[in-house]
Structure formats: structure tokens, C-alpha cells
Amino acid sequence: MNQLTELTIAELSDGFGKKKFSPSEVTKAYIENMAAHREYNAYITETPEEALSAAAEADSRAAGGRRLGKLDGVPLGIKDLFCTKNIRTTAASHILENFIPPYESTVTKKLLDAGAVFLGKTNLDEFAMGGANITSYFGHTVNPNRRKTDNAEVITGGSSGGSAAAVAGKLCAGATGTDTGGSIRQPSSYCGIVGMKPTYGRCSRFGIIAYASSLDQAGPMTRTVEDAAIMLGYMAGFDEKDSTSADTAVPDFTAALNKGVKGMTIGLPKELMEEELNGEISLAWKEGREILEKAGAKFTEISLPNMKYALATYYIIAPAEASSNLARYDGVRFGLRVDGKTLDEMYELTRSAGFGDEVKRRIMIGTYVLSAGYYDAYYLKALEVQKLIRRDYTEAFKTVDAILTPTAPTTAFTVEESKAFDPVTMYLQDAFTVPVNLAGLPGISVPVKTASDGLPIGLHLVGRHFDEETLFSAASVLERR
Amino acid sequence: MDKKETQHIAKLARLRFDDDELTNLSEQMTGILKWVDMLQSADTSAVADISGEEKPLGTRKDEVKTAGLSRELIKNAPEPYEHFFTVPRMVE
């Protein structure tokens, strides 16, 4: 094991600045790890040559005392949903298997401008639709943590499963993810890393292949809370190419790290406390509360009465938007084409061959809830319930600064176990994370414990709109125990 | 949701399924729709009174801007012809 790949982003930055080691040395160490751990299937496309050439440039900046900042020379993994100029971008779909974007997404451009080194494009559920990273056209990802009770190989969670596996397995120092219903936080919990979904609008969506545009948001996946704060600082900011990105100042998130939680009031949703949770998850939640209490936070019960509707609401709104967003994959301008005698036949053959089962299922649900006769009963009703869910949070945040829950209802499971799930059971894995996307709020998952089966458990903190700082303060207390 | 209805939605979505897939999908969609039907029990009668808190989206100046990428974009087309996208013949 190479010591360099054990270091956090903060430690790498410090070492580069003090010339203890160079970006090229670290990049090479990561490239070796990637080659040694292909069994995780964390990357769809590896870009070692581009990485080494970017690292060489970072070397000379470091040697000349001209570092661009904390990310300069830091090797990152990029979820293969971010368009990267001249680098294949697949969304883990057959339909985009050979797509090479001629432009760079705003978030990855910001990271490149900060001097980051991209090691490659990480695996995901096809078009980010899934919670186990088993719907990828390029095969499922494997969690670097194994289940001790039966030495079973378990899934990473999804949809940002490749990024989670790469960060946990030391195949990159940090990674980008996207989160529409839990796709950053849930795999972070399953793999034992930190994952932050910022407020909707905090990061530009320009150049991120769209799933459900009103819910999609990019965020960092890292080994420490400090690293997440560093990375988010570079990813966030207004972008005129995304009219939903917020024209709000980006604070120095790292300044919030050592603020502690004294005087902070944290809410516990009573609806969740009344539910029968998995014993070990429940215990981790209780222990997390005790840590924060000991550090000076006060706890109070809150009510989110409409949370029980969140998943059903999500599984109307997200597929509706997806069915519309994915209409562009028709074999005309980019991606796969399967020839047909007529235009319609070409569309149908192309889309049927190009999309996997879960994507087709969501397109079908979305098309149904938007179709004549069902639009009001399903889609409009879901938008109304979404407003109720938002109001619940607005009311709660009148008395609390953050909300603490588990991130996921279980630890990671095996591919075989997941095959026994019907679609609805699989969707329930996102029960604690989905409401946050519907309300557009920021949320962070922090690894707090290892369950008796050896698999990581994460806790989930949710904050007010554009108050990621409170989450970083509380998350670093949880992490430091 | 019966197979006929599933077939109709598939047509709208420009997707094709064989008979077995349709049977399977009808069942799965029926299950999912039965589950999301729980929303009908949510009392949304007062939703109109909830005022929007979000800031309205900003607008930008109505200026023509071009990325100058048309040559590069066409490279991703499955069957480009010069700088055109091609499709099957639609009129005789």
C-alpha cells in the first residue's frame, strides 16, 4: 500500500505546498491503485495520460511556488454524468457508449481551473437511476468493504457508486457525485465516506446529463468532512448557463469546520422515531445524538407529517422529468442509432436497444403520469404534496438549525439480495434522503460507525437552504469522536 | 394497468417491448402506481395558501451568443452528412 494514497485532500495540499511530494508522484500512486483494483469496477473510463500531463503542470506550479489553491494537483474521480471535453461521457448507458462531449460541464471546468487532476470517469447507475449501482451498462460496482459475517461482496449503493467505491478504495482522493434522491449520500453511507448534497442551485447543472432537472444537484464525495468543505468551495457558484443556479455568494466552507455545535438546536423527526428501524442503524442514530449533545447541541423533537408521502411524490416527479429529458436520445444527433424503415421505427428501435430496464421503466412511469387523463391525478397532485413537504421543513427550521436522521435504512447488501427486491422495495432505500431533494435542502452523510457485519453506517444531517456551513460544523463534530 | 394500456404508453414513449416484456412491465407498473396512489390520501386543499419562498429565476439579457461548436457537435452524430444530421426519408 502506498502511503500517498492514504492522505486526505487537505494533507495532500499541505504536502504539495511544503514540497514533501509532488502531484505526479501522488497521481502515479493512484494510477497504480486503479490498476490493482479493477475488481471494484469503479471507473468506466480511466484517463491516466491526461492525469499525468495535468499532474506535470501542477508539479511545475508547486515547484515555482505558484499553486492555484488547495485542489491544485489533487487527483479526483469524476462521475460519468459530467460532460468532460474530449473525454468519453456515457451516463453508464449503451445509448451514450461512444459520446464524446465537445464541451466541459461548469463544475468540472471549475475543478480543472483550480488545478485538479482527473483520473477518469466513475461508474454509476444508468442515467443516475438506481440505488445500488446495479443498473450500469458497464456492470455493477463493488464496495471495497466486505461483509464480515459471510465475507460477501456487497454493492456500493447508487447512483454515484463508482465515485463512492473510488474514494473508499483509495482510487482517488475525492470525487464528484450527483444527487437527485440520495445518489451522493446513500452510497457514501454504504461505503463509509462523506457525501454532501448541497442546496439546489448551489452548483451549476450545466453539462451534467439531466435526470430530473428540478432535483439534480452536484456535490463532493470525500474521506473527511474537511475535504468535502474544500471541494464544495471550488464546485459551487452562480453560472449564467444554468438559470436555476443561485446568484448567492459562496462562503469559505472550511471556516465552519471548527465552530462546534454549542448553542445549536438539532431536530429529530418524531415520525421516524416511531418507526421500527433496523436495530444497529437505530443505535448509531442514538450514539450520534449523544456525541452532538456532549459537544453542546440541544435536541428537540420535530414533526414532518408529510414525509411519508415523499417517496411516492419523488417517483412521480422524477420519472416525469426523466421521460421528458430522455426524449433527446433518439438516434439523430448523438449516441446510438438502430436503423429503421421510418423515422418512428428508428426512434423506437434505437431507444429500446439503447436504454436498460430501469431507465425504460422510469420513462414509462413518467410518460404515464404526464399523459392525458392522468396528469392532474398524478403529476399535479405530486407537485402539491411536494409543497406540503417543503412547508413541513420550513416549519421545522423555525425551531431547529439542523435535522439528524440515519442516511439509509440498512447497511449495504449483495447483488443477489437486491435481485429479490421488487422496484418499490429498492426505492425504499432512499426513504430518508429523498424528502431533502424535494425540498431543495442541503444534506450530508457522515460515516459514524461500523455495524457488527463490518459494514459502514452513515448519519444524515439536513440544513436550511444555503446553510451548508451548519452541516459542516455539526458533521465535523460527529466525525471527530 | 393492462397490457393494452402499457402498449399505448410505450408508443407515446417511443419504446418497443415484446409480449413477455409487456406482461412483466404491466405488472410492475401496476405495482408502482398502486403504491404512489397513497398520495390521494394527502390533504392538499390548503396548498394554494402556501406562498412560494423561492426567489424567482433570474433572466439574462436577450443576446445572441454562439459557442461555435457546430462542427464538433456534428462529430457525435451517428450518420452525419457534411454538416447535417440525417434521418430516414419521410416524404416520397
Side-chain angles (χ1 to χ4, degrees), chain A residues 260-268 284-299 402-405 446 448 459-462 470-481:
Chain A
V261 291
K262 264 202 189 83
M264 200 183 278
T265 308
I266 301 177
L268 300 165
W285 190 19
K286 187 171 155 274
E287 288 173 2
R289 173 188 168 165
E290 286 165 3
I291 292 161
L292 290 163
E293 261 173 347
K294 216 177 266 173
K298 280 198 301 257
F299 275 82
I403 297 169
L404 181 74
T405 70
V446 194
V448 292
L459 288 183
H460 184 213
L461 283 156
V462 182
T470 295
L471 300 186
F472 283 127
S473 302
S476 51
V477 170
L478 269 181
E479 176 184 53
R480 266 202 301 266
R481 75 217 180 80

Side-chain angles (χ1 to χ4, degrees), chain B:
Chain B
M1 234 179 123
D2 59 20
K3 265 165 76 175
K4 206 179 145 213
E5 207 171 4
T6 309
Q7 177 68 64
H8 170 65
I9 297 297
K11 184 86 198 153
L12 293 177
R14 299 292 184 273
L15 289 170
R16 250 184 217 199
F17 299 100
D18 65 28
D19 205 57
D20 283 353
E21 286 174 326
L22 271 183
T23 308
N24 211 348
L25 198 56
S26 304
E27 260 174 46
Q28 288 176 341
M29 287 184 65
T30 303
I32 295 169
L33 291 169
K34 202 185 274 173
W35 171 65
V36 297
D37 253 345
M38 73 159 82
L39 292 192
Q40 303 313 325
S41 69
D43 179 7
T44 49
S45 55
V47 149
D49 303 334
I50 302 175
S51 59
E53 290 156 25
E54 303 102 280
K55 278 193 277 181
L57 294 181
T59 52
R60 60 183 175 218
K61 284 195 187 121
D62 188 14
E63 288 167 348
V64 177
K65 283 185 191 168
T66 166
L69 286 174
S70 53
R71 293 274 161 198
E72 282 71 34
L73 285 168
I74 209 94
K75 282 187 197 157
N76 273 298
E79 288 173 45
Y81 174 73
E82 293 182 353
H83 60 287
F84 298 106
F85 298 113
T86 61
V87 293
R89 177 185 289 273
M90 296 183 69
V91 283
E92 290 303 322

Side-chain angles (χ1 to χ4, degrees), chain A residues 311 315 358 361 421-430, chain B residues 28-36 38:
Chain A
L311 267 177
Y315 277 99
E358 182 62 26
R361 195 151 45 227
F421 294 176
D422 60 23
V424 173
T425 309
M426 185 58 103
Y427 298 166
L428 289 171
Q429 290 300 314
D430 290 334
Chain B
Q28 288 176 341
M29 287 184 65
T30 303
I32 295 169
L33 291 169
K34 202 185 274 173
W35 171 65
V36 297
M38 73 159 82

Side-chain angles (χ1 to χ4, degrees), chain A residues 127-425:
Chain A
F127 283 103
M129 298 181 195
N133 214 132
I134 54 175
T135 72
S136 167
Y137 176 69
F138 299 91
H140 70 272
T141 51
V142 172
N143 197 320
N145 305 281
R146 283 182 97 90
R147 191 160 66 192
K148 289 212 177 85
T149 39
D150 54 359
N151 197 32
E153 191 180 280
V154 294
I155 54 99
T156 52
S159 67
S160 311
S163 289
V167 172
K170 316 283 163 73
L171 311 186
C172 62
T176 62
T178 63
D179 190 316
T180 307
S183 283
I184 286 175
R185 292 159 288 158
Q186 185 253 44
S188 294
S189 176
Y190 285 171
C191 292
I193 63 165
V194 175
M196 151 65 81
K197 180 206 98 75
T199 310
Y200 183 78
R202 187 58 104 175
C203 297
S204 169
R205 290 182 297 105
F206 177 77
I208 298 174
I209 294 171
Y211 160 22
S213 311
S214 76
L215 307 169
D216 297 343
Q217 185 57 208
M221 299 170 76
T222 54
R223 288 186 220 138
T224 65
V225 174
E226 181 183 20
D227 285 359
I230 292 171
M231 253 185 95
L232 182 60
Y234 288 99
M235 295 167 71
F238 175 68
D239 175 16
E240 67 163 18
K241 291 176 182 152
D242 172 9
S243 61
T244 63
S245 76
D247 201 353
T248 305
V250 179
D252 175 8
F253 295 115
T254 58
L257 291 168
N258 296 313
K259 281 200 177 146
V261 291
K262 264 202 189 83
M264 200 183 278
T265 308
I266 301 177
L268 300 165
K270 83 173 170 53
E271 290 78 10
L272 208 59
M273 295 176 73
E274 286 161 3
E275 242 179 74
E276 203 173 310
L277 296 174
N278 167 304
E280 294 206 59
I281 302 282
S282 189
L283 183 66
W285 190 19
K286 187 171 155 274
E287 288 173 2
R289 173 188 168 165
E290 286 165 3
I291 292 161
L292 290 163
E293 261 173 347
K294 216 177 266 173
K298 280 198 301 257
F299 275 82
T300 181
E301 219 172 80
I302 55 161
S303 177
L304 301 170
N306 294 290
M307 196 161 95
K308 59 178 181 282
Y309 298 122
L311 267 177
T313 303
Y314 175 84
Y315 277 99
I316 292 174
I317 294 175
E321 293 185 27
S323 73
S324 167
N325 273 328
L326 271 61
R328 73 192 68 174
Y329 305 104
D330 57 9
V332 175
R333 289 161 301 153
F334 44 77
L336 181 78
R337 168 181 288 194
V338 179
D339 285 324
K341 284 192 278 301
T342 63
L343 188 62
D344 271 334
E345 191 178 73
M346 185 195 82
Y347 289 158
E348 288 180 3
L349 295 175
T350 297
R351 290 163 62 77
S352 298
F355 293 137
D357 289 344
E358 182 62 26
V359 172
K360 286 182 197 167
R361 195 151 45 227
R362 294 199 195 185
I363 291 175
M364 289 288 288
I365 293 285
T367 305
Y368 180 81
V369 300
L370 292 176
S371 66
Y374 301 103
Y375 183 88
D376 288 3
Y378 288 102
Y379 185 64
L380 282 188
K381 182 75 182 182
L383 289 185
E384 287 180 351
V385 178
Q386 183 183 23
K387 281 190 181 167
L388 297 180
I389 293 166
R390 282 174 171 254
R391 188 186 56 187
D392 287 353
Y393 279 109
T394 308
E395 288 301 312
F397 281 120
K398 283 179 183 165
T399 53
V400 300
D401 303 300
I403 297 169
L404 181 74
T405 70
T407 307
T410 63
T411 52
F413 37 86
T414 66
V415 172
E416 288 67 36
E417 285 159 358
S418 75
K419 279 181 184 150
F421 294 176
D422 60 23
V424 173
T425 309

